[in-house]
Amino acid sequence: MKWMLVVLVGGVSPVNTDLVFDKFSDCLAAEEQMRQHYADAFDAWDRMAAARIDRRRDYKKARDLEAKRLLGNVGTCVPHGGGDQQPVSVPQQQPPATSSQPAPTPSPQPTPRM
């Protein structure tokens, strides 16, 4: 079975990464690497913000928002079929319904006045 890394942006919205792994452990390692990348980006932002933001209250608000933005993204590994599997059931197409009544004709629209 193959595994695909999916990122949940803000912990909610799934984003397909198109990263497919043969082993589950490889997918988990990629997820760990992604999480570490976000943590490093947050740490870099935090050092910069601590030096630039003078008021403690403003810094705390900005830090909370940035933490949600960066650290709210999580990865998960999901089974990936690879497209080589056939669907369980294929819906049958219905023939178009024929009607004994003619199609209604549209009523003419008045011409615009200027």
Side-chain angles (χ1 to χ4, degrees):
M1 173 180 291
K2 292 186 183 256
W3 298 89
M4 180 171 35
L5 180 64
V6 175
V7 176
L8 300 173
V9 177
V12 179
S13 302
V15 176
N16 182 356
T17 63
D18 288 331
L19 297 174
V20 178
F21 302 91
D22 290 327
K23 296 181 192 173
F24 183 64
S25 60
D26 292 344
C27 186
L28 289 177
E31 188 273 334
E32 174 64 29
Q33 186 178 17
M34 180 208 72
R35 195 173 344 124
Q36 186 60 49
H37 176 74
Y38 281 121
D40 292 345
F42 177 75
D43 289 341
W45 177 90
D46 192 36
R47 284 190 301 275
M48 182 272 312
R52 289 188 178 176
I53 300 175
D54 295 329
R55 294 177 51 192
R56 174 119 176 105
R57 192 172 97 196
D58 292 342
Y59 166 72
K60 185 171 177 353
K61 277 184 178 178
R63 188 175 197 276
D64 289 346
L65 287 173
E66 192 68 11
K68 284 180 186 177
R69 187 179 77 81
L70 285 174
L71 303 178
N73 301 333
V74 295
T76 186
C77 296
V78 297
H80 180 68
D84 56 350
Q85 297 176 349
Q86 295 295 322
V88 175
S89 65
V90 178
Q92 298 292 326
Q93 288 189 350
Q94 304 261 338
T98 57
S99 173
S100 60
Q101 295 179 346
T105 57
S107 60
Q109 298 292 320
T111 56
R113 296 181 187 183
M114 298 216 180

